[in-house]
Amino acid sequence: MPLTVKPILPAFGAECSGLDLTRPLSADELKQITDAMDTYGVTLWRNTGMDDAQHVAFSRNFGYLERVPKRPEGQRMRLPFRELFDASNLDLDGNITRDPAAIEYRKGDRLWHTDTAFLTQRTSYSLLMARQVPKEGGQTWFADTRQAYADLPEETKQLLEGKVGINSLWWSRKQAGADISEEEIDERFKAEHPLVHVHRGSGRKALFIAAHTMDVKGMDKQEGRALIKQLIEHCTQPQYVFKVDWNVGDMVIWDNLCTMHRGGDFDAANEKRDMRRTTVREGTEPHTMDTGDDPYTELFSKSPKTVDINKARDAGR
């Protein structure tokens, strides 16, 4: 059965059906999916029927999967595979977390961001699966950074040419309210990425900027941060944005190299939201072998003490 694609916005986001994602797919079927991703940036798949193992296996079709950082020997994890990042409000026993540090850490998900912009090796696809959803709220919002770039004034495009963003996980956490000093952030690892790049799948230019971007290399801090704020506000205007209302079993795939996203509010103190994400490394398509490196473990082994490291290890946003 061929892939059916129903656009959400005219050229951004699409609801897809017609393929059984629980079984191995042919090369032609996988190309249909990547073609839809190149065109729309985000694809929504309702009621996939996938379990955790199938989620991971399906994700491997698109490249090397990053892994949750290793825990010290004897410490358990909530999810069964290191390739699954925990985007829930749950503790290790599956109960709603009451840990203030973990709750604070998750607030960063409400900011517009791109997954793993704080690492040298960027993420291409993220594949998020809903296992349990609240009765109200908890949507995920997506923004189109290709069309947003195309609509910028020419003088702004010229200003951005060659500019590089400096990205830090701890900066986005600070913006969300975490008690981390800027001096402490400056001591930690930061990744540099061009603010504008050519999206490989479509050949279109896109902005690569969001909550992890703390400065613009070579620019005065105040001016650079004003530019970052201006660009995020531009990308998240209504004409570039749509939201996904989740049902159990739904999956969304988004391309971090041409989108931004954020989580919506819900009653996190009283309702469970169990979301699980796989994360594909840019430039590894198709997946052929384990690269052997482990950037998340390295990053979190040098994390600020003010952050709940165990929750950060699992979330890795």
Side-chain angles (χ1 to χ4, degrees):
M1 185 174 180
L3 179 67
T4 299
V5 178
K6 180 181 178 182
I8 297 171
L9 296 180
F12 182 57
E15 185 165 339
C16 295
S17 60
L19 299 180
D20 180 359
L21 305 187
T22 65
R23 63 171 180 80
L25 299 177
S26 69
D28 179 68
E29 288 170 327
L30 290 171
K31 186 177 186 303
Q32 291 179 53
I33 295 172
T34 56
D35 284 349
M37 288 296 299
D38 289 344
T39 300
Y40 295 102
V42 183
T43 56
L44 166 61
W45 307 76
R46 297 291 190 187
N47 192 27
T48 63
M50 286 195 289
D51 60 23
D52 287 330
Q54 290 165 334
H55 181 186
V56 172
F58 171 72
S59 303
R60 288 194 190 281
N61 288 303
F62 306 108
Y64 174 72
L65 301 184
E66 301 288 8
R67 293 165 293 178
V68 173
K70 293 178 180 177
R71 286 182 177 270
E73 188 174 350
Q75 286 193 14
R76 62 191 177 93
M77 295 174 58
R78 189 177 78 86
L79 302 182
F81 302 99
R82 280 187 66 199
E83 291 86 356
L84 292 174
F85 287 79
D86 191 346
S88 76
N89 64 331
L90 307 179
D91 62 20
L92 291 177
D93 296 314
N95 300 313
I96 294 174
T97 184
R98 305 299 177 191
D99 180 1
I103 294 169
E104 181 180 77
Y105 186 87
R106 286 257 69 96
K107 289 179 181 178
D109 294 346
R110 307 294 188 267
L111 303 176
W112 287 104
H113 65 282
T114 55
D115 293 332
T116 72
F118 49 82
L119 292 176
T120 300
Q121 296 167 306
R122 301 183 302 180
T123 292
S124 53
Y125 293 178
S126 292
L127 301 92
L128 185 65
M129 178 73 66
R131 295 295 180 198
Q132 190 167 359
V133 299
K135 295 176 183 177
E136 295 184 4
Q139 299 94 341
T140 303
W141 297 77
F142 296 95
D144 182 356
T145 63
R146 288 183 295 191
Q147 191 59 47
Y149 173 81
D151 292 344
L152 284 172
E154 192 59 36
E155 62 185 30
T156 304
K157 292 179 181 178
Q158 292 178 9
L159 172 65
L160 293 174
E161 194 68 30
K163 291 289 193 298
V164 172
I166 300 173
N167 299 271
S168 168
L169 170 63
W170 315 118
W171 175 254
S172 64
R173 289 303 180 241
K174 182 176 178 65
Q175 303 316 296
D179 184 17
I180 309 170
S181 70
E182 193 159 333
E183 291 74 22
E184 189 172 19
I185 293 172
D186 282 337
E187 294 174 356
R188 307 296 166 175
F189 178 78
K190 294 182 283 293
E192 297 184 0
H193 300 295
L195 296 184
V196 178
H197 72 119
V198 176
H199 178 251
R200 177 181 173 185
S202 64
R204 299 174 61 192
K205 284 190 174 182
L207 289 163
F208 188 77
I209 191 168
H212 300 309
T213 313
M214 63 181 295
D215 292 303
V216 179
K217 191 173 183 179
M219 287 188 71
D220 171 80
K221 278 188 179 293
Q222 185 174 353
E223 292 180 1
R225 290 176 183 178
L227 176 61
I228 293 164
K229 182 174 183 290
Q230 173 192 337
L231 291 172
I232 293 174
E233 289 175 350
H234 171 73
C235 290
T236 55
Q237 294 179 90
Q239 65 266 36
Y240 306 127
V241 170
F242 72 89
K243 67 180 173 70
V244 170
D245 294 295
W246 293 93
N247 300 305
V248 173
D250 291 349
M251 181 180 66
V252 174
I253 311 173
W254 65 88
D255 188 335
N256 288 279
L257 304 179
C258 63
T259 69
M260 290 191 293
H261 65 281
R262 69 172 180 86
D265 290 329
F266 68 102
D267 186 3
N270 296 296
E271 290 202 67
K272 293 183 178 182
R273 184 176 186 266
D274 187 352
M275 311 293 288
R276 307 175 186 193
R277 190 193 82 225
T278 53
T279 307
V280 180
R281 182 181 297 176
E282 179 190 15
T284 60
E285 311 86 346
H287 175 65
T288 56
M289 61 181 294
D290 190 322
T291 65
D293 64 352
D294 197 357
Y296 277 90
T297 297
E298 181 179 357
L299 178 70
F300 287 113
S301 68
K302 302 174 182 177
S303 300
K305 295 179 181 179
T306 52
V307 175
D308 183 292
I309 298 305
N310 286 335
K311 193 64 180 178
R313 286 175 187 273
D314 286 349
R317 87 182 242 288

